[in-house]
Amino acid sequence: MTSAPSNGPSDSDSSGTAPCTFPGNLSTLAVHAGEDRQKPTHSLTDPIVCASTYSFANTQAVIDYIRNKERRGEYGRYGSPNEWAVEKKLAALEGGEEAIVYASGMAAIVGLLMAKLSAGDEVVFFDECYHRSREFCTKHLSRYGVVTHQVRACDYDAMERAIGPKTKLLVSESPTNPHLSVVDLERFAGLGRKHGVDTLIDATLATPYNLRPLAFGVDYVLHSATKYLGGHNDLLAGAIIGSAAKLQEVRKLRGILGGINSAHNLYLLERGLKTFELRMERHNRNGQAVAEFLANHPRVEKVLYPGLPTHPGHELAKRQMRGFGGLITFMVKDADWRATADVVDRARIARIAPSLGGVESLIEQPLVMSYFEVPVEDRKRFGIPDNMIRLACGIEDTQDLIDDLAQALQG
Amino acid sequence: MSGERHAFRTRAIHVGNERDPATGAIVPPIHVASTFVLPGAGEPSEFDYSRTGTPTRQRLETTVASLEGGCGALAYASGMAATHGAMLLLKHGDHVIAGTDIYGGTYRLLHKVLVSSGISVTLADTRSPEALEAARRPETKLLWLESPGNPLLSITDLAPCVAWAHQHGMLVGVDNTFASPVLTRPLELGADIVMHSATKYLGGHSDALGGILVVRDPELHRRLHYLQNAVGNVLGPWDSYLIQRGIKTLELRVREQCRTAQRLAEFLASHPRIERTLYPGLPQHPGHDIATRQMDGGYGAMISFEVAGDFAAAKRVVEGTELFQLAVSLGAVESLIEQPASMSHASYDRADRLKHGIRDSLVRLSVGLEAFEDLRDDLDQALRKI
Ligand SMILES: Cc1ncc(COP(=O)(O)O)c(C=O)c1O
Ligand SMILES: Cc1ncc(COP(=O)(O)O)c(C=O)c1O
């Protein structure tokens, strides 16, 4: 990495090259941040500490621990050495004060919402989002007396109108899943500041390589670390990054709800993060090249990818992001659901599976994978046409991916 | 996915990683079973006992065989176990020629262990056809090569060595650890056996020991497998998994590490506190032209240099870095630094070291994935401590 990443807020007079807000170079942080330089037994890599509980030398040590609130192992649900290492690494990569790691992205979302919202509170979110996040808000938060307002993605006026005296949190993804809409983080964070409401961005699709929401004044960044952060399709994890003050209650609640990770899982996540920069560079490159290929393909009706000049959020994305990731959504021309499924079925490199962000490319038809039992009018409302395909580019050779899609589209 | 038509990088991810038919899992399960239930007494089965083979080890072997262009591979508990696995082909009375610039552990295996089985060894400068010819005996059965060499980064022109050895009925083994299959694929140059310390670039994360042999000839594979099963120095399932996971980013890592190493070598070559920088990517390196031909788009991520000073000066440098950690081994995401005279080659006596060109002032770097600027600044501040 040689140049400062342009993924902080842009100075009004600069030409889009934002100040480097990293305390070090990203790749160096990915390898080293969060780890003690000298480890127990001097091993180069962190040991996997599987203990469910931690012992004290004597009663006085217990009392000292309770009084001084020093960070050490007590009981596994409250934290572990492997967790601290990953949390510090993620906080460093994101440029945040603190990170909390969860058993999955959903556990992280739920953990934050449960910690921040009480009966009578209201939450406003942009409607393009991971369908389970929406489902938790509309079906479950409501059971606890929390009111959810959904407004159209990127309609900032609608969001502002929905903010009332009881509103506690504004939520969005950026880019959104699966539509890849780009949220103007300055405006979004500005709305929160103006009305004294916290803001949360699920930046799973962007990752801190491409976007650093905290630098725009967003309060919480959320990741499904299952995706790019872990990067190898072999673990589930989630994370929230923000200020220590705002996260204090969130961490306490996690200790009660118990959505923590095993030490093995955390080790794999830490290991995955070591190649984070390289993988992201490659995901970005594959995403851009494949999106351009698809945009010029006669059998493709439309491509949603923020890196394409035709994308409505392209200018904003260029200002706000360093690259555009590996996820591409496209519509097959004159295809019904079956003809679209045939394209998916013909792919030989990308495998049919939900998820994204791993080294292996994945392909799916949102209608079938996530919205199969959703009524057609709701699918319309959420913008899920029958001929939509979501492709998560891995880090395979670019030309291999393009050749494979070419034959899949050819039929 | 047979994947023969796919690029290296695509094969590294997919060959040997086919979806699990039993569960659909995108990443194949880790099979930890030590034994397998048989269909019937005396009936053959793909797997029976895990020393002979396991699905997890076999997947790794399939991947590496594809990357090296071999017909099959065998995974061992460590690089040394793999080298020993190849040497088990030898018998009492046989003779081996190995390079002078080889890994110290291989030197030790040949000189201190195999000798007691009546196997003799001659070290020769494998860059010189005359030296090779002078070392040859009628009973020479194996030529063992390493390029780039360790720790002097000497470059051996593999193809002519292989041709010469085959002409005289020898098998040729190449320790390809330093180059990795990203840069050099010795089987394509005619070698019979490729060996890797998978502990290094293949695994790539300093967290697994392993070794691999890859061959072109199914009969040789069968023989080596027989010996491996008989001796039992196999790779366990957890390490097989971690190494296989590492291989998915192998090409990205190695290419990036090469790019950073090239820039660091250029920086070091013009540094006032450094007498000599040994890196095949520098035009003044004697093996530069051969390396350009033999190594695919990069010169590796190992650099050695001699500081302007004595043993103590080099010691101060290796102890004075912050990002480069003081440790033996190499090939991982973390950058490492060491002084061969006091660490990796301390088992040679000093006179022997000097004979092999390993001076007290020599420092060896393994360049990791950190940013070039950070590594350069770190070396610069350490060199100022001389
Ligand atoms: C944008 C986004 N947020 C959250 C999640 C939920 O994360 P997880 O599957 O790790 O629970 C996902 C993925 O499934 C996602 O794509
Ligand atoms: C070139 C080379 N060959 C072989 C080995 C031995 O491998 P291992 O340490 O995995 O036994 C090493 C590593 O130390 C090495 O650097």
Side-chain angles (χ1 to χ4, degrees), chain B residues 114-371:
Chain B
L114 293 181
V115 282
S116 59
S117 318
I119 294 163
S120 57
V121 58
T122 306
L123 297 188
D125 182 347
T126 52
R127 292 171 302 178
S128 151
E130 299 75 34
L132 283 173
E133 192 51 47
R136 186 172 68 82
R137 297 192 204 155
E139 63 274 21
T140 307
K141 291 285 159 54
L142 178 69
L143 173 64
W144 193 259
L145 301 169
E146 205 175 304
S147 180
N150 183 0
L152 298 175
L153 285 318
S154 61
I155 298 293
T156 295
D157 197 350
L158 297 175
C161 288
V162 169
W164 171 82
H166 283 171
Q167 207 183 328
H168 296 287
M170 301 171 207
L171 277 180
V172 182
V174 178
D175 180 340
N176 199 29
T177 301
F178 270 35
S180 90
V182 176
L183 304 178
T184 305
R185 288 167 299 278
L187 298 183
E188 291 174 0
L189 303 173
D192 302 289
I193 302 171
V194 167
M195 174 267 161
H196 282 283
S197 167
T199 316
K200 310 296 167 7
Y201 292 100
L202 297 183
H205 291 72
S206 305
D207 59 2
L209 260 96
I212 297 263
L213 295 181
V214 196
V215 297
R216 282 186 298 135
D217 170 20
E219 179 50 32
L220 183 58
H221 183 263
R222 203 196 51 72
R223 176 81 189 135
L224 287 167
H225 184 218
Y226 172 85
L227 291 166
Q228 182 191 41
N229 188 43
V231 172
N233 45 6
V234 295
L235 186 64
W238 298 101
D239 289 328
S240 295
Y241 179 73
L242 282 180
I243 292 167
Q244 177 122 42
R245 190 193 205 242
I247 288 173
K248 294 183 184 185
T249 54
L250 174 68
E251 190 185 348
L252 286 186
R253 285 185 284 108
V254 168
R255 296 226 175 274
E256 180 69 14
Q257 286 168 277
C258 287
R259 274 193 292 273
T260 307
Q262 180 74 38
R263 297 173 71 193
L264 281 176
E266 286 163 10
F267 164 74
L268 294 170
S270 59
H271 198 285
R273 306 269 162 95
I274 288 179
E275 212 139 77
R276 197 157 73 112
T277 304
L278 305 173
Y279 183 69
L282 296 175
Q284 63 268 33
H285 187 283
H288 179 68
D289 291 343
I290 298 168
T292 303
R293 211 170 354 96
Q294 189 162 276
M295 302 177 81
D296 181 1
Y299 298 92
M302 297 300 293
I303 305 172
S304 291
F305 59 87
E306 286 160 0
V307 299
D310 54 5
F311 181 90
K315 190 166 184 305
R316 267 199 300 283
V317 172
V318 302
E319 289 174 353
T321 51
E322 270 164 32
L323 275 177
F324 282 92
Q325 302 183 81
L326 182 62
V328 293
S329 202
L330 60 113
V333 295
E334 302 90 358
S335 292
L336 302 179
I337 192 165
E338 67 120 357
Q339 182 182 25
S342 64
M343 296 168 67
S344 63
H345 292 70
S347 60
Y348 294 43
D349 62 46
R350 184 161 184 273
D352 222 21
R353 274 203 308 271
L354 289 176
K355 199 177 91 192
H356 290 116
I358 303 167
R359 300 201 190 149
D360 290 348
S361 60
L362 190 71
V363 172
R364 191 186 80 173
L365 300 177
S366 169
V367 177
L369 276 188
E370 300 91 342

Side-chain angles (χ1 to χ4, degrees), chain A residues 104-107 109 130 133 173 177 202 204-205 222 224-227 236-237 356 390:
Chain A
S104 69
M106 279 315 300
I109 297 170
Y130 177 55
S133 306
E173 297 178 7
N177 179 10
D202 178 341
T204 299
L205 267 53
L222 189 136
S224 166
T226 313
K227 310 295 173 352
L236 273 101
L356 61 112
R390 197 186 80 167

Side-chain angles (χ1 to χ4, degrees), chain A residues 221-240:
Chain A
V221 181
L222 189 136
H223 289 288
S224 166
T226 313
K227 310 295 173 352
Y228 294 106
L229 300 179
H232 291 72
N233 287 325
D234 63 358
L235 61 89
L236 273 101
I240 297 168

Side-chain angles (χ1 to χ4, degrees), chain A residues 1-2 24-25 27-28 31-32 37 44-45 230 232-235 267-269 271-272 274-275 278-279 281-282 348-349 351 353 359-362 395-397 400, chain B residues 5-7 9-10 13-14 17-19 26-27 203 205-207 241-242 245-246 248-249 252-253 256 263 321-325 333-334 336 369-371 373-374:
Chain A
M1 202 183 74
T2 51
N25 284 303
S27 168
T28 307
V31 176
H32 293 285
R37 185 163 161 77
L44 191 74
T45 50
H232 291 72
N233 287 325
D234 63 358
L235 61 89
Y267 180 74
L268 282 182
L269 174 53
R271 189 192 209 247
K274 304 237 172 185
T275 53
L278 285 188
R279 288 186 290 102
E281 246 168 53
R282 191 73 211 166
R348 287 211 281 266
I349 293 180
R351 305 186 208 178
V359 295
E360 295 93 358
S361 293
L362 305 178
I395 63 168
E396 298 95 340
D397 184 77
D400 284 345
Chain B
R5 63 212 156 74
H6 287 129
R9 181 174 295 175
T10 307
I13 296 168
H14 291 283
N17 274 305
E18 290 73 15
R19 79 187 273 284
I26 193 89
V27 173
H205 291 72
S206 305
D207 59 2
Y241 179 73
L242 282 180
R245 190 193 205 242
K248 294 183 184 185
T249 54
L252 286 186
R253 285 185 284 108
E256 180 69 14
R263 297 173 71 193
T321 51
E322 270 164 32
L323 275 177
F324 282 92
Q325 302 183 81
V333 295
E334 302 90 358
L336 302 179
L369 276 188
E370 300 91 342
E373 293 80 359
D374 293 334

Side-chain angles (χ1 to χ4, degrees), chain A residues 343-359:
Chain A
V343 174
V344 169
D345 286 343
R346 276 193 296 264
R348 287 211 281 266
I349 293 180
R351 305 186 208 178
I352 304 172
S355 205
L356 61 112
V359 295

